[in-house]
Structure formats: C-alpha cells, structure tokens
Amino acid sequence: MKTCIYCGGKVELLSGEIYKCAFCNVNLGPNSPYGEVGEDGARPQINGFKIRVILRDEDYLAGISINELLNTMTLSMIYSILKEMRLIRSEAYLLLKNAKDFLKVNADKLSEQEKRDFEQSINSQGETYEFWTRKMWMVENVCIKKFGYCPAAIQERTLDQMEQTTIKLSRKTMRINSNNNVSRETANV
C-alpha cells in the first residue's frame, strides 16, 4: 500500500506517479520537492550521513554560502561543518599566537628584514584567523536563525548519536493498529 513518508497515512493517486497526502497536504512523487511516496508506512531510509566526506576540505568549507546553509543543509550537516570550522579557527589562532610570541621573545635576535618578514607572516595569519572567525560566526548565526539554538560545543559522539538515532528511526515503520492504539514499533521511539 502506498503511504506518506511523513505521517504514514494512506495517499491518493492523483495521476501517473503523483500521490496526495490529505493529512500533510502535500503531493509526493518523483519530481515533488517533498519526496517520493512511501510503501506500507516506511520512512525515508538513510544508511549514514554524507557530511563526513567534506570535513577538513578547507576549500569546500571556505566556499559555503548562507543560502546553501539555510536551504540545503540539515541540522547534522550544519553541526558537522560548525565543528570543523571551530577546529580550523582554533588552529589559525594558535599559529597566530605562537608567531606573535616568538617575535616578542626573539625580536632582538632577528635582523630588520627578518622582523619585517615575520610581521608580514603574522599579518597574513591574522587575515586567515579573521576569515575563519567570520565563517564560524556565519554558521553559528545560521544555526540560531534556522534552529533557534547553537551549541557551545559539538562532540563527535553527539554527531555519532544523531546519526545512529536517525538511522534507527528511519528503519521503523509508521503503523497504527486498527483499534487506534499506537503499535509497539512506533511507540518505542
């Protein structure tokens, strides 16, 4: 039986492969922005999050736009990206701090040219730090705007739990017994 992937209810065939869910008030099918129609109360299936492929790809992370974050990214994707940006920013800060500390301690041992070169390097590292700080703020503020919350810290185990919970939940069907009681399968969420 064809069912809605969101509520598990029966859907009505409108034409061809287009189905209508009266409860959710959406059309489902191959070209629908809401997705395909389900079968027997099945939820959308996932085998794992795809975000881990892009992590530590600084070129990709540097090019992420607000539009992409707001319109195409899920909570887990944004959290993963934010976690990576915070790590990159932290590394940029440490490099900047270490370079400044080195110059401060060793300024009297360096020639004027070496000092100028080192100061140029510090300025360049400062620009890198500022770039990643602004990118991080952008993602944090998208979190606030999109989800109403931005975590202070994101642990790898939290991302793993999100993934495992989502996979487990996606494998459960949405069925209500004929006596209008929720089945154990749905109730054990």
Side-chain angles (χ1 to χ4, degrees):
M1 170 177 65
K2 299 290 186 189
T3 57
C4 176
I5 60 171
Y6 297 104
C7 72
K10 290 181 185 178
V11 293
E12 175 189 342
L13 178 63
L14 293 181
S15 66
E17 297 178 318
I18 306 298
Y19 293 84
K20 170 85 174 178
C21 175
F23 185 84
C24 296
N25 197 28
V26 296
N27 290 341
L28 300 167
N31 297 319
S32 171
Y34 301 103
E36 293 281 347
V37 69
E39 193 73 41
D40 295 325
R43 298 174 187 250
Q45 297 293 303
I46 68 161
N47 295 319
F49 294 159
K50 298 174 185 170
I51 190 66
R52 296 180 201 275
V53 174
I54 62 164
L55 299 182
R56 280 303 165 159
D57 182 346
E58 290 187 21
D59 291 335
Y60 173 81
L61 293 171
I64 288 177
S65 69
I66 289 177
N67 186 48
E68 191 177 1
L69 290 164
L70 284 172
N71 297 315
T72 65
M73 301 247 174
T74 64
L75 174 67
S76 59
M77 294 169 89
I78 292 174
Y79 278 6
S80 294
I81 287 167
L82 180 56
K83 182 178 187 307
E84 285 302 310
M85 284 187 180
R86 285 176 173 171
L87 289 171
I88 293 167
R89 176 185 176 260
S90 179
E91 290 170 2
Y93 173 79
L94 288 174
L95 286 171
L96 179 61
K97 182 183 179 312
N98 289 341
K100 284 181 176 182
D101 290 348
F102 177 85
L103 186 59
K104 183 189 262 186
V105 170
N106 296 298
D108 57 335
K109 300 172 190 168
L110 300 173
S111 70
E112 288 305 313
Q113 182 60 44
E114 289 172 323
K115 285 181 195 177
R116 281 192 297 276
D117 291 345
F118 221 86
E119 286 170 354
Q120 274 185 310
S121 177
I122 288 171
N123 289 339
S124 176
Q125 188 58 39
E127 290 171 8
T128 300
Y129 171 71
E130 180 179 344
F131 174 83
W132 287 108
T133 298
R134 292 190 183 286
K135 276 303 222 187
M136 180 194 72
W137 288 341
M138 183 181 84
V139 177
E140 287 175 343
N141 290 323
V142 165
C143 278
I144 292 167
K145 181 170 178 48
K146 190 170 180 173
F147 308 115
Y149 172 75
C150 183
I154 302 167
Q155 304 298 322
E156 194 63 37
R157 71 172 192 250
T158 302
L159 296 172
D160 290 342
Q161 286 172 339
M162 287 173 72
E163 181 176 19
Q164 293 308 310
T165 300
T166 304
I167 291 169
K168 183 178 175 182
L169 187 62
S170 77
R171 292 188 178 139
K172 293 184 177 196
T173 58
M174 301 174 286
R175 292 190 193 141
I176 298 176
N177 293 335
S178 60
N179 59 7
N180 290 332
N181 292 327
V182 177
S183 69
R184 281 184 71 68
E185 186 174 340
T186 305
N188 287 333
V189 178

